[in-house]
């Protein structure tokens, strides 16, 4: 039987250097996009896909994320204020949110590994909170549908113009159904001209529990970082980059 996916891991311990200077004092995941913090969109997306437990991976200086997603104990009499909190409160009645710490910025694979205990022996959805997008059905729901059918790890992909694809993890694969590929290899940030396709990993992954022991064996590459891509089971030999 395929275990249903109920937990989502949201890595959010990054330093936010691309958004300096505001990220000196504010977690980039809390920057507002229209009327709510960027990370609220992905929590809503996860909840709509049936996720009931969200695990944020944060650094010690980003506790504000946990505070934002804590159920609001403050009950104000003012009706306008209650209305403003209503959407978030309703979301938090459907999902529980907890935080685990990543004490050093050691890469996306290491961030996911920090959630090992909180996830336990079950599959999880990983959502990168800076990848916001609209899809119908939403990306997380699409991935969970494929997982429920196959029981195999699933990644969200997007066709990216060749001149930008070196910024992503890129797959090699064979199309096996409309908009679905069987992945035979993954290359993290291939040097320009060496990419195996124009299909890039965008920030949604469904990972079986075997990911954790594999990630714990992946060697750190450039800058001491452990890449999630190097732990994904299609790639048995992590390159030493
Ligand atoms: C990460 C992943 C990469 C993926 C990208 C999507 O890279 O390592 O495989 O394509 O997210 O946004 P980052 O953007 O964190 O360098």
């Amino acid at each position: 039987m395929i275990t249903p996916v109920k937990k989502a891991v949201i890595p959010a311990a990054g330093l936010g250097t691309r958004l300096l200077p505001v990220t000196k004092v504010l977690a980039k995941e809390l920057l507002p996009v229209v009327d709510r913090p960027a990370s609220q969109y992905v929590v809503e997306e996860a909840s709509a896909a049936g996720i009931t437990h969200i695990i944020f991976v944060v650094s010690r200086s980003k506790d504000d994320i946990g505070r934002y997603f804590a159920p609001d104990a403050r009950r104000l009499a003012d009706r306008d204020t209650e209305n403003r909190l209503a959407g978030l409160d309703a979301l938090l009645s459907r999902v529980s949110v907890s935080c685990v710490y990543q004490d050093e910025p050691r890469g996306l694979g290491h961030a996911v590994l920090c959630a090992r205990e909180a996830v336990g022996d079950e599959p999880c959805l990983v959502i990168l909170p800076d990848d916001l997008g609209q899809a119908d059905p939403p990306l997380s729901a699409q991935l969970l549908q494929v997982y429920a059918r196959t029981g195999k790890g699933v990644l969200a992909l997007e066709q990216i113009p060749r001149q930008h694809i070196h910024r992503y993890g890129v797959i090699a694969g064979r199309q096996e159904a409309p908009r679905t590929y069987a992945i035979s290899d993954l290359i993290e940030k291939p040097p320009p001209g060496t990419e195996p396709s124009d299909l890039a990993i965008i920030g949604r992954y469904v990972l079986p529990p075997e990911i954790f022991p594999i990630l714990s064996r992946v060697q750190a590459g450039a800058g001491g970082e452990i890449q999630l891509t190097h732990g994904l089971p299609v790639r048995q030999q992590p390159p030493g980059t």
Side-chain angles (χ1 to χ4, degrees), residues 12-98:
L15 302 172
T17 47
R18 283 178 284 196
L19 290 172
L20 280 169
V22 70
T23 46
K24 279 172 70 183
V25 294
L26 184 63
K28 84 175 163 187
E29 294 77 10
L30 293 179
L31 291 174
V33 175
V34 188
D35 62 351
R36 66 200 83 166
S39 52
Q40 189 170 330
Y41 289 91
V42 294
V43 175
E44 288 169 357
E45 179 187 314
S47 167
I51 296 293
T52 54
H53 187 173
I54 305 279
I55 301 148
F56 276 96
V57 183
V58 299
S59 66
R60 302 270 167 194
S61 61
K62 290 173 88 175
D63 270 340
D64 285 356
I65 295 175
R67 271 202 296 281
Y68 180 80
F69 286 103
D72 188 34
R74 200 172 34 114
R75 277 278 144 248
L76 300 176
D78 177 303
R79 181 165 288 275
D80 276 353
T81 312
E82 281 204 9
N83 286 344
R84 277 185 216 121
L85 289 171
L88 178 59
D89 281 351
L91 177 64
L92 296 175
S93 69
R94 296 192 300 271
V95 290
S96 67
V97 178
S98 59

Side-chain angles (χ1 to χ4, degrees), residues 18 108 128 131 168-169 188-189 201-203 205 227 229:
R18 283 178 284 196
L108 182 57
L128 306 190
D131 282 332
Y168 294 84
E188 181 64 18
K189 306 205 172 67
I201 305 169
I202 49 170
Y205 311 70
Q227 299 295 345
T229 308

Side-chain angles (χ1 to χ4, degrees), residues 2-19:
I2 297 171
T3 311
V5 183
K6 291 290 167 197
K7 293 181 179 171
V9 176
I10 304 184
L15 302 172
T17 47
R18 283 178 284 196
L19 290 172

Side-chain angles (χ1 to χ4, degrees), residues 153-166:
V154 191
L155 314 182
L157 303 173
E158 185 177 325
Q159 270 185 316
I160 297 286
R162 291 271 177 179
Q163 69 267 32
H164 299 311
I165 203 154
H166 62 278

Side-chain angles (χ1 to χ4, degrees), residues 166-177:
H166 62 278
R167 298 176 187 154
Y168 294 84
V170 184
I171 70 135
R174 177 178 46 80
Q175 187 161 11
E176 58 171 30

Side-chain angles (χ1 to χ4, degrees), residues 117-203:
E117 218 173 288
V119 172
D121 190 24
E122 49 185 290
C124 66
L125 172 69
V126 174
I127 303 186
L128 306 190
D130 26 359
D131 282 332
L132 299 181
Q134 278 198 313
D136 185 18
L139 275 182
S140 293
Q142 289 187 44
L143 263 64
L144 292 186
Q145 277 168 15
V146 178
Y147 183 79
R149 202 174 68 235
T150 64
K152 293 183 182 165
V154 191
L155 314 182
L157 303 173
E158 185 177 325
Q159 270 185 316
I160 297 286
R162 291 271 177 179
Q163 69 267 32
H164 299 311
I165 203 154
H166 62 278
R167 298 176 187 154
Y168 294 84
V170 184
I171 70 135
R174 177 178 46 80
Q175 187 161 11
E176 58 171 30
R179 302 172 62 224
T180 309
Y181 292 77
I183 299 174
S184 54
D185 202 2
L186 298 156
I187 313 286
E188 181 64 18
K189 306 205 172 67
T194 67
E195 62 278 351
S197 74
D198 63 352
L199 293 171
I201 305 169
I202 49 170

Side-chain angles (χ1 to χ4, degrees), residues 206-235:
V206 181
L207 302 174
E210 296 79 42
I211 189 67
F212 294 111
I214 298 174
L215 277 176
S216 68
R217 291 193 299 270
V218 170
Q219 285 169 9
E225 293 206 350
I226 294 173
Q227 299 295 345
L228 179 58
T229 308
H230 294 169
L232 298 174
V234 293
R235 187 165 188 91

